[in-house]
Amino acid sequence: MNMEPRIDSDTIASNLIEQMNQLRLTEGAGTMQEHASSQSSGNQQKGHLQIQRNHRGQILPNGLEPPSCIPFIRNDHGWVTCVLNDETSTISNIESFISHWRPSLIGPNNLVPEGCPWIAINRGNRHTPDSGPPRIAELEAAFMSLSQSHRTNGNITLTVSALDQLACQFNVRSGKWMIFADLNTVDSLWANVVRMVCIHRQRGFAKVAADSQKSDRVICVYVDDFTDVKEVMGLRQDLRRIGVEWKIKFKMDAYTYMGIYQSNSWGISPSRYVE
């Protein structure tokens, strides 16, 4: 398998951290409680389960029981995201999510709507830094100022260390391992990632590209702080346990916002690790 990225996993990355912040466990739990309360009330009034429909009004498959998975599905920025916590992360909910929202199936006859960019799982319990929300605009401005002085009067200002300091200063610390798969293998690989996040690690956030004109898909599995090397490498080891034994790359989200991609003019590798 050719592991060189043929699609950039962050072409819509300007929405990524906003999406992840909106899906904090506390918010997700509140949303799920509201849905569950409303649904329970409706069921008591009608005496039976309400029919669930997708965004097109189509009745959802019978295998997806309304009390289990449906209340935990959210649609933000066009994403399909399953938000689970310690109580709702059951085998039934996880398998329902995996079986009904598959990245290889897109279109009017499937649950994944056309144009959906990502399918995601948010398991919560994430280890987020205590320094407040990410300040992306400030990061971009600081990087622009630093890049303008790069190699001026012999100064090499764009170093890995300097960029790390910027990322930490403006609290843009998240990063991800990127796994590429073709349409024949992406569903099973994504299913293994979801189970790993929800059952084995019991924390975290992951997403898989759903809307792509190409024959491959990218799966991104996140850590909240790239400076926590133990967490970064622990996640990589867990990915090996589910069969991802080939070399994959780890990229900081800060590098995406700073515009550091392959063959950039500063000679900086966009990947922090290749393991």
Side-chain angles (χ1 to χ4, degrees), residues 39 49-54 58-61 64-66 70:
Q39 192 170 56
L49 295 178
Q50 295 178 349
I51 294 175
Q52 299 294 319
R53 300 176 182 271
N54 66 10
Q58 299 167 327
I59 297 176
L60 296 177
L64 190 61
E65 294 297 335
I70 289 294

Side-chain angles (χ1 to χ4, degrees), residues 123 127 177 179 188-206 219 221-223 229-246 248 275:
R123 178 57 177 83
H127 300 163
W177 289 103
I179 311 163
S188 60
L189 184 53
W190 170 243
N192 287 339
V193 167
V194 172
R195 295 183 187 110
M196 179 201 71
V197 169
C198 293
I199 299 173
H200 174 66
R201 291 178 66 83
Q202 300 183 3
R203 67 183 186 278
F205 183 92
I219 298 173
V221 192
Y222 284 82
V223 298
V229 178
K230 182 178 179 180
E231 177 74 359
V232 172
M233 292 305 171
L235 176 57
R236 179 65 187 98
Q237 185 60 28
D238 286 340
L239 290 171
R240 288 191 180 94
R241 292 191 180 100
I242 63 170
V244 185
E245 298 179 349
W246 58 91
I248 59 175
E275 295 285 345

